Amino acid sequence: MTDQENRTAERAPALPAVADRATFHAELDKLRLREKTHTREGDAITAARRRLPMVEVAADLELTGPDGPVSLLEAFEGRRQLIAYYFMWHHGHPAAEQCEGCTWVTTQVEELSYLHSRDITYAVFCQGPYEASRRYREFMGWGVPWYSAVPSLDALLVGRHVGMMHLVCYLRDGDRVFETYWTTLRGVEAMDYSYALMDLTVYGRQELWEDSPSGWPRVQGTPADHVGLRSNGRPIPQWSRLEAGRSDGLTPRP
């Protein structure tokens, strides 16, 4: 081998053991039993979630939308249920420095018709000012309903860390609004399919925290690199928007 070939081989990730087809399927069958147990436990947790009590929230809490102030009740768009994603916002920072995690999960949510078919509205409640965050939404090309929750953040996220990502579910009963569930941190992975697909592959997410064999590849994993959700200093999906010629300016145009 040439020196270049040797260097390439040294950089290549490790590989799983090679087996014949019968052995492969025997090992997969054993894993499938664990997968089925995991699925049934997930179903049981979801059933328990449907039986949680709910807490009333003021229906007139103010949000800011494209036409100015609106109430929490109005954000339901007439449907019975509402799922709100509370988008973290770094006030005064450019697009490249906005939250890579919130950009990641929001990018996954595109087709809303299936939610609508179950009487569910989905919306982003940004924790930053409407105009700057609206321009970020336009730069990213997101079509989901978008509001600023700044006028009512403390009331909407009572008992929680304002400024963190949250996924919150609401139920409307006439003109009354109730909160039925919320989650944060890895709980917002419910919005994502990219990681779910990565989890099916042999190298997984390639993040440092994963339990993988020695020699498996790893993406950037230091705090500054935000476990692979950034590339060259930006949230990963921003690059395709810039290449398409979109402006990432968040300040008002003169």
Side-chain angles (χ1 to χ4, degrees):
M1 296 176 67
T2 66
D3 289 343
Q4 179 62 39
E5 289 171 334
N6 282 325
R7 286 193 294 271
T8 301
E10 289 172 1
R11 290 196 302 269
L15 301 172
V18 177
D20 58 38
R21 176 63 63 175
T23 302
F24 170 69
H25 278 292
E27 291 297 317
L28 186 58
D29 287 343
K30 288 193 292 184
L31 182 63
R32 193 77 73 212
L33 294 175
R34 296 176 62 187
E35 288 180 335
K36 290 179 178 180
T37 299
H38 178 73
T39 298
R40 287 191 289 269
E41 178 62 14
D43 290 342
I45 291 170
T46 300
R49 189 180 294 118
R50 291 194 293 270
R51 289 165 172 80
L52 287 172
M54 61 186 183
V55 60
E56 189 162 9
V57 181
D60 61 353
L61 288 175
E62 183 180 317
L63 307 169
T64 304
D67 299 317
V70 297
S71 67
L72 175 61
L73 182 64
E74 289 174 295
F76 278 74
E77 298 180 346
R79 298 186 180 90
R80 187 70 181 269
Q81 299 182 84
L82 169 67
I83 299 174
Y85 179 72
Y86 285 78
F87 196 108
M88 296 170 63
W89 189 257
H90 303 311
H91 186 63
H93 290 247
E97 297 176 12
Q98 292 304 324
C99 179
E100 63 286 335
C102 293
T103 301
W104 151 56
V105 291
T106 303
T107 301
Q108 313 295 323
V109 182
E110 295 182 354
E111 180 58 61
L112 301 180
S113 62
Y114 293 104
L115 293 175
H116 294 172
S117 75
R118 303 303 195 272
D119 212 15
I120 302 168
T121 291
Y122 171 86
V124 170
F125 286 8
C126 187
Q127 300 179 69
Y130 181 77
E131 282 304 317
S133 67
R134 175 188 62 80
R135 283 188 285 274
Y136 189 64
R137 171 181 178 262
E138 291 174 354
F139 164 60
M140 293 302 301
W142 295 326
V144 297
W146 190 278
Y147 303 93
S148 169
V150 167
S152 303
L153 270 177
D154 289 338
L156 285 165
L157 293 179
V158 63
R160 284 155 285 193
H161 182 181
V162 173
M164 284 289 295
M165 58 175 67
H166 292 90
L167 191 61
V168 184
C169 296
Y170 299 97
L171 176 67
R172 180 177 67 85
D173 183 21
D175 291 336
R176 300 175 71 188
V177 173
F178 300 86
E179 185 178 326
T180 62
Y181 177 75
W182 70 273
T183 187
T184 186
L185 299 174
R186 289 196 63 189
V188 305
E189 288 182 14
M191 301 164 63
D192 169 74
Y193 66 88
S194 295
Y195 272 14
L197 291 174
M198 291 179 197
D199 286 341
L200 300 180
T201 70
V202 68
Y203 292 135
R205 304 182 187 192
Q206 303 175 39
E207 295 179 357
L208 295 183
W209 63 269
E210 288 180 287
D211 179 6
S212 295
S214 177
W216 255 228
R218 303 292 198 198
V219 294
Q220 303 158 322
T222 63
D225 292 321
H226 304 283
V227 291
L229 296 177
R230 284 182 173 266
S231 173
N232 297 320
R234 284 181 174 269
I236 290 170
Q238 288 189 6
W239 289 108
S240 62
R241 277 71 174 179
L242 290 171
E243 290 167 0
R246 295 182 189 170
S247 169
D248 67 349
L250 303 183
T251 57
R253 299 177 182 87

